[in-house]
Each structure stands twice: as structure tokens, then as C-alpha cells.
Amino acid sequence: MQMISKTLQRVAILIVMSAILSLALTSVAHAATVTVKPKAGQDAYKVIQKQLDKAKSGKKKMNIVVKPGSYRLSHGLNVYSNTTLTLKGVKLTLSKSASSNLLKIGATHDSKKGYYYKNITIVGGNLNANRNGATAVKIAHAKNVTLKGVTVRNTINAHLVEVAGVDGMKFEKCTFKDQVQSKKAKVLTPEAIQIDVLVKRHMPGYRSQDLPMRNVVVNKCTFSNVPRGVGSHTAIVNNPVDTIAITNNKFTKIKSTAIQGMNYKNCTISGNTIKSAPRGIALYSIFSKGTFLATTPVKEGKVKTKTSSKYIAPLADQNIVISNNKITVKGTDSISTYTNEGILVSGLEMEKKKKRTADQDAIPKGNYYLSGVTVANNTISSNGNGIRLCDVRNASLNANSISYTGKATSKTPYHGIHLTLASKDVSVANNTMKSSQSNGAYVNRGCDNVTIRSNKIAAPGKYGVGIEGSSALLVSDNVISSPRSAGIFVYDGGSVKTVERNAIQASKGSGIQAAKNSTIDAVEGNTVSAVASCGVMTSDRSTISRIAGNRIEKTGKPGIGLYSARGNGAIVNNTITGAASYGIYIDTQSTSAVITVQGNVLAGSGNATRVKAASGSKVVLS
């Protein structure tokens, strides 16, 4: 009984202690609430700022609730730590004579360093900048800042929101709209939300510091009638924005790019709906313009940094995911000459050190590539490119649906998927590409170790798959219908290890072709039908080493036509039916290459059942 009694006592003590702790935590979590009641239409600056200043002087959390109504502000509001500003049903309009931010974290001329201001929330409110030439909402040197259900609107040649040096920045169910960027503006400020860097040129009014953005969330927000929605056009070398999620947002009436990021790692862009934008999503490593070394904020702000200003090779996995977005590309970019496209991911190779200017430091030469990129399950309707990767490594493009809606006669060649500028180790798989203006999938300018498999490519304006001056490991299991030129075309020094199990139909050129000093090691198990030229073909000093087990039907020229070879080759166990010319035609333009022809089935009439070897070609028939 005594043991039971003691046990009950301990339980009772624990319950009491738990209750006390719970009460203590509750008291900490709940902030003191003050209601501000400006008169309708009056200048509400002093009465609101008075309470914000009181919150500044104390350490307790404070919830300042402004009575619903429409008010003007003769001066922008300054918000400090441990403050919730509740503006539900409140419209605040900044006076045109104010020449200031409508709302700013910290003092008007702030000198704090580090993530100084903490735990700040703005709830609700319609913030009208009234065509003021300053950023409407400015946030820096802060930690744990949230804007929830806030509308920010109506700036000219200024951002709606600008943030820099914040750890924990969240925008939830906000609206950003009616931002004007004039063509005569001296400084380009197109982003509605600009994720910036703490240098004087870009964040005046705050202390300069090499202080990275971290843990950024933009979720379920609406962007309308703005040049760009959210992103960056500035960076500090070797100090990227770390962990950013841009999710479930809606973008309409975008004049340039819906999402344009720069210098990000651990980045997720998912579930967004982008309607009628010249460019959907564009991610860059750095630009030459707008990129600074850490030495610049150190010099300006007198705060030390550990960030190196030397070239350091990028991370092998920067963890960039772009998925499940619905993108409609329309119109023409009104503020730049960018190419229209659904998704762009781009690194930058600087072949020499850049010269320092007012808006860039002397960035060291080096390859600032992007790596560890996944682009998956996006639906893109585009009058330009679908997806383009430039100088990207270790990437996967999977299960995207891309359709071209522009003019077939466009002078600019637009592609469904385009890999370029030495992109490496890229997989292109399970994508659908319809009616591309030029190539369905196009690989050029020194790309390496590419695989292209299990894609459906319909009615491209040129090649189904084009590989120019680049190398691929595998092109397999693709379904290519009605290309206006070759189904699979490897040229200008391109090379492919294996082309296998592809189905190519109704090509107005060849089915599979190596041209202009290119090589394919093996073409095996493909089905080619109803093509205007050869089913499989070489030309212009090119070689296919092994052509085996393919099924070729109804060709306008020889089923297999070798018009060049730089080495020995084999044509074995193919089935060729209904060739308009010879079943197999060999004119290798070489007296040393030996071509073995064995076990092929040739059906049809006349020369379709024959193998023709031109003079000078060494052919072994068995």
C-alpha cells in the first residue's frame, strides 16, 4: 500500500509540474495584444508607429491589431522584434510625398548586423505603395519573419518586397500585384519579391554584410501584373541562398519571368501554376552582372566573413528540384531579350576574370555550373523552348509533358528539350514532346554522357533526337513519329554508344543517321517504318560500327545505306521489307574499312531484295 501511495504521489507531482510547465509555455507563447483605432481616412502613421516603438523597447511578444478600415500613411512603418502586426481588413496607402518604404524591418537607417531582428509576423492588410519609387516592404538582418495573407501592390520602378540576410522568411497566401517597370528606369527592379544581397547598391538603409538568405518559403501566393514574380538577380560568390521552397503559387499577367532564381542550393520549385508568361522558371548559378565577392560587403559594413573570394568548384549536388508545375509560355519579354521557354537551368563558365564595374565585382574565371538537378512531371505549353539546360551536371529530366504552340515558321529554332554548353551526366527519360518547332530533344555544344530513353516525340519540325558535337551513352526505347527530317540524327562530330529499341515512323528524312564526322557504336533492335530516306544511314565521313536486329519497313531509299565508314562494321540479322531502292547499299568511300553483311532478311521486289556494294568498298557477305 505504501509503495502504491508513493507511486500515486509521484504521478500527482508529475501532473502538477506538467501543468505548471504547460501554463508557463502558454504564457510565453501568447503575446500581449494592443488594438490601434485610427480614425477613418486619417494619417495612421503616428498611432501605429507608437505601438511598434513600444514593442521595440520590450522583450515580450506583442500583437498590435489595427482596427479594420482605410488609412493613409505619411511615412513608412518600422517594425522590430517579437512583434505581430495584424492588419486584417485594413488598407494602408502610402502618401506620394513619403519617398520611403511602406513597411521596413528595423530603423529607417539601420546599422544592426547578423540576424538581429527576430520573430516578426505581418497578418493581413492591403499595402498600397501608391506608385512610390521605393520598395514597398523591405526586410533584412532578421530571423523568423512571416507575411501571411498580405496584399502588396502598386509600385513603379521598385520591388514590391525586397529581402536580404534573413534566416527563416515565409510568405503564405499573399498577393503581389500591379508593379510597373518602365523602359526608362535607370535600375532594373523587375521582381515582385527580390531575394537580394546586403550590399549598399542593392540594400541601402541596412548595414552591408555577407549574410546569406536561408530557409525561404513562398507558398500559396498570387502574383499578377508584375514583370517577374519571385527570384534574384544578385549573388555573393561561394555563399548561395540555402534552402528555398517556391510552391503552390499562381502567376498571371507576367511580363518577363514568373520565377527567376540565382545562386540557390537546396531549392524546390513545385506545384506552381504559371499562365501567360514569356518565361516560366529560370534558375542560374550566377551572372557576371549583379554578382559580388564577399569582400564588398565586408569593406562596406566592416563585418568579417569566412566566405572565400577565390573560385571554388560548385557542389556536386546542389539539390535543385523543379516538379509538378503547370506552365503556359506566351507573349514576348517586355524588359529583356531572353529566349521564351518553359524551364531554364543554367550555369556559367567564365573563361577569364571579369572586370569590376559599379554592379559587379572582378569575378574569378572558372566554371560556375549547376549540379544535382531534377526536372520532373511538369506540364509545359510553350511558344518557345520547353526545357533547356546550359552547363548543368548530374541532372534528370523525367516525365515532363511539352507541347509547342508557336509558329512553325519561327526564325528562332525552338526545341522540346535542349541540352547545351557542356552539360554532363544528364538523363532525359519518359518525357512527351509534341510539335516542337525544331528538334524534339536536342543535344549540342560539347555535352557528354547523356542518355535519352523512353520518350514520346511527335511531329518535330526537324529531328526527333538531334545530337550535335556531343556524346551520348544511350538513345533507347523512344517513340518518334512524323519528324520533318531524321528520327535520330548524330552529326558534327557527335558520338553515341548505343541506339536501341527505338520506334521511328513516317520520317521525311532518314530513320537513324550518323553524319559529318560522327560515330555510333551500335544500332540494334530498332523499328523504322515509312521513312522518305534510308532506315539506317551513314554519310560525310561517319561510321556506325554495328547494325543488328533492326526491323525496317517501307523506305524511300535503301533500307540500310552506308555512304561512309571510317572503320570496320557489321550489318547482321536485320529484317528489311519494301525498300524503294536496294535492301542494303554500301559505298563506304574507304578502301580499308571492311563491312560484314550476315543473316539479314530482305523482302520486297526488285532491288529491295539485294545487297549492293559500290566499287572500292570491302564487303564480306555470308
Side-chain angles (χ1 to χ4, degrees):
M1 290 291 291
Q2 287 183 341
M3 290 180 63
I4 295 174
S5 179
K6 288 182 178 178
T7 300
L8 291 173
Q9 287 178 1
R10 292 193 186 101
V11 171
I13 291 169
L14 288 173
I15 291 172
V16 172
M17 290 179 64
S18 178
I20 293 171
L21 179 61
S22 178
L23 184 62
L25 290 174
T26 301
S27 66
V28 171
H30 286 79
T33 299
V34 174
T35 301
V36 179
K37 299 179 180 180
K39 293 181 180 180
Q42 79 166 117
D43 179 6
Y45 166 67
K46 288 185 178 179
V47 292
I48 298 175
Q49 190 61 52
K50 180 180 179 180
Q51 298 303 324
L52 291 172
D53 289 340
K54 286 183 179 180
K56 172 187 175 182
S57 62
K59 294 183 179 180
K60 292 183 179 181
K61 293 182 179 180
M62 194 167 190
N63 181 15
I64 300 169
V65 180
V66 179
K67 179 184 175 182
S70 297
Y71 313 106
R72 59 187 176 86
L73 293 175
S74 60
H75 190 282
L77 300 171
N78 300 96
V79 184
Y80 305 95
S81 293
N82 299 316
T83 298
T84 296
L85 179 59
T86 300
L87 300 171
K88 292 180 180 180
V90 174
K91 180 179 179 181
L92 297 176
T93 301
L94 188 64
S95 297
K96 287 188 176 181
S97 60
S99 299
S100 67
N101 311 118
L102 192 153
L103 188 148
K104 184 175 189 280
I105 303 302
T108 302
H109 301 286
D110 204 87
S111 61
K112 299 296 187 291
K113 61 183 180 180
Y115 302 111
Y116 182 82
Y117 299 104
K118 296 179 174 64
N119 307 321
I120 299 168
T121 302
I122 313 298
V123 181
N126 187 317
L127 308 183
N128 181 2
N130 201 16
R131 291 294 182 96
N132 201 288
T135 296
V137 178
K138 210 158 188 177
I139 304 167
H141 286 292
K143 186 172 184 177
N144 298 333
V145 179
T146 298
L147 270 66
K148 185 174 182 179
V150 180
T151 294
V152 187
R153 65 189 185 93
N154 205 14
T155 60
I156 184 167
N157 298 331
H159 302 291
L160 291 171
V161 178
E162 194 170 9
V163 298
V166 179
D167 182 358
M169 180 72 244
K170 185 174 183 179
F171 300 93
E172 182 80 19
K173 296 182 179 179
C174 295
T175 297
F176 305 93
K177 64 180 183 178
D178 302 335
Q179 174 196 5
V180 175
Q181 176 72 57
S182 71
K183 293 182 179 180
K184 296 181 180 181
K186 294 181 179 179
V187 180
L188 191 66
T189 54
E191 294 82 6
I193 299 176
Q194 161 73 348
I195 299 168
D196 221 325
V197 294
L198 282 166
V199 297
K200 285 182 179 179
R201 183 170 178 82
H202 291 277
M203 290 294 283
Y206 286 106
R207 186 171 188 166
S208 296
Q209 187 178 352
D210 178 33
L211 189 66
M213 288 291 302
R214 296 174 180 167
N215 303 310
V216 181
V217 174
V218 183
N219 184 51
K220 296 183 178 179
C221 294
T222 298
F223 298 81
S224 177
N225 193 30
V226 299
R228 294 181 190 151
V230 57
S232 311
H233 60 256
T234 57
I236 300 291
V237 172
N238 300 320
N239 201 356
V241 176
D242 188 355
T243 308
I244 177 168
I246 303 171
T247 55
N248 306 310
N249 303 287
K250 294 181 179 180
F251 299 83
T252 60
K253 298 181 182 178
I254 305 299
K255 297 178 177 63
S256 179
T257 313
I259 300 169
Q260 180 168 310
M262 182 173 167
N263 198 31
Y264 294 171
K265 69 176 182 179
N266 299 316
C267 171
T268 299
I269 301 175
S270 182
N272 301 285
T273 299
I274 299 169
K275 295 182 178 180
S276 190
R279 297 203 305 163
I281 298 167
L283 285 186
Y284 298 90
S285 56
I286 60 171
F287 293 151
S288 54
K289 184 178 180 180
T291 302
F292 299 88
L293 301 175
T295 50
T296 289
V298 168
K299 183 179 179 180
E300 292 177 351
K302 310 301 181 186
V303 182
K304 293 181 179 180
T305 182
K306 293 182 179 180
T307 302
S308 174
S309 291
K310 296 180 179 180
Y311 171 76
I312 297 175
L315 295 172
D317 185 2
Q318 293 164 45
N319 189 25
I320 295 170
V321 177
I322 303 172
S323 66
N324 297 298
N325 301 285
K326 294 181 179 180
I327 302 170
T328 301
V329 176
K330 287 184 178 180
T332 302
D333 197 314
S334 64
I335 62 172
S336 64
T337 57
Y338 290 128
T339 299
N340 280 29
E341 47 206 344
I343 296 172
L344 168 68
V345 182
S346 180
L348 176 66
E349 183 169 12
M350 292 193 180
E351 296 180 351
K352 61 181 181 179
K353 185 177 180 179
K354 291 290 181 180
K355 291 182 180 180
R356 190 178 188 279
T357 67
D359 200 31
Q360 71 181 44
D361 282 340
I363 309 304
K365 70 176 183 179
N367 193 336
Y368 298 86
Y369 54 82
L370 288 174
S371 185
V373 176
T374 299
V375 181
N377 298 300
N378 300 283
T379 300
I380 301 169
S381 173
S382 174
N383 65 358
N385 292 315
I387 300 171
R388 185 159 61 109
L389 303 189
C390 307
D391 195 16
V392 173
R393 303 182 182 185
N394 184 26
S396 170
L397 309 183
N398 187 63
N400 301 284
S401 178
I402 302 164
S403 59
Y404 178 70
T405 58
K407 294 181 180 179
T409 56
S410 171
K411 293 181 180 180
T412 301
Y414 294 122
H415 313 286
I417 290 176
H418 186 192
L419 312 181
T420 189
L421 295 178
S423 292
K424 299 179 180 180
D425 303 313
V426 181
S427 170
V428 179
N430 304 303
N431 303 282
T432 299
M433 291 160 263
K434 295 180 180 179
S435 305
S436 301
Q437 188 272 339
S438 187
N439 303 309
Y442 180 44
V443 184
N444 76 330
R445 300 186 69 177
C447 295
D448 186 32
N449 204 24
V450 174
T451 62
I452 301 173
R453 58 182 177 82
S454 302
N455 303 282
K456 293 182 179 180
I457 302 172
K462 198 172 183 182
Y463 310 128
V465 175
I467 298 175
E468 177 188 4
S470 297
S471 68
L473 286 175
L474 181 68
V475 179
S476 75
D477 300 288
N478 301 286
V479 177
I480 302 171
S481 60
S482 303
R484 294 187 65 84
S485 189
I488 298 170
F489 196 65
V490 184
Y491 63 114
D492 281 352
S495 66
V496 181
K497 290 288 185 184
T498 305
V499 176
E500 65 181 9
R501 298 190 303 275
N502 300 282
I504 301 169
Q505 183 179 20
S507 168
K508 293 187 177 180
S510 55
I512 300 167
Q513 184 174 350
K516 298 181 182 178
N517 295 299
S518 295
T519 61
I520 302 174
D521 288 358
V523 174
E524 298 181 333
N526 302 280
T527 300
V528 180
S529 62
V531 298
S533 185
C534 299
V536 179
M537 180 179 177
T538 62
S539 62
D540 304 317
R541 301 173 302 282
S542 297
T543 298
I544 299 175
S545 298
R546 179 176 173 81
I547 303 172
N550 302 284
R551 186 176 185 87
I552 301 170
E553 300 177 348
K554 296 181 181 178
T555 62
K557 292 185 177 180
I560 296 174
L562 300 191
Y563 298 92
S564 71
R566 290 183 293 170
N568 297 337
I571 302 174
V572 297
N573 300 325
N574 301 282
T575 299
I576 303 172
T577 304
S581 182
Y582 293 95
I584 299 173
Y585 184 88
I586 301 171
D587 185 2
T588 61
Q589 308 294 313
S590 170
T591 58
S592 60
V594 178
I595 307 299
T596 300
V597 181
Q598 180 181 7
N600 301 284
V601 177
L602 308 181
S605 61
N607 287 335
T609 62
R610 297 178 55 194
V611 177
K612 170 69 174 178
S615 61
S617 298
K618 294 183 179 180
V619 178
V620 177
L621 298 173
S622 58

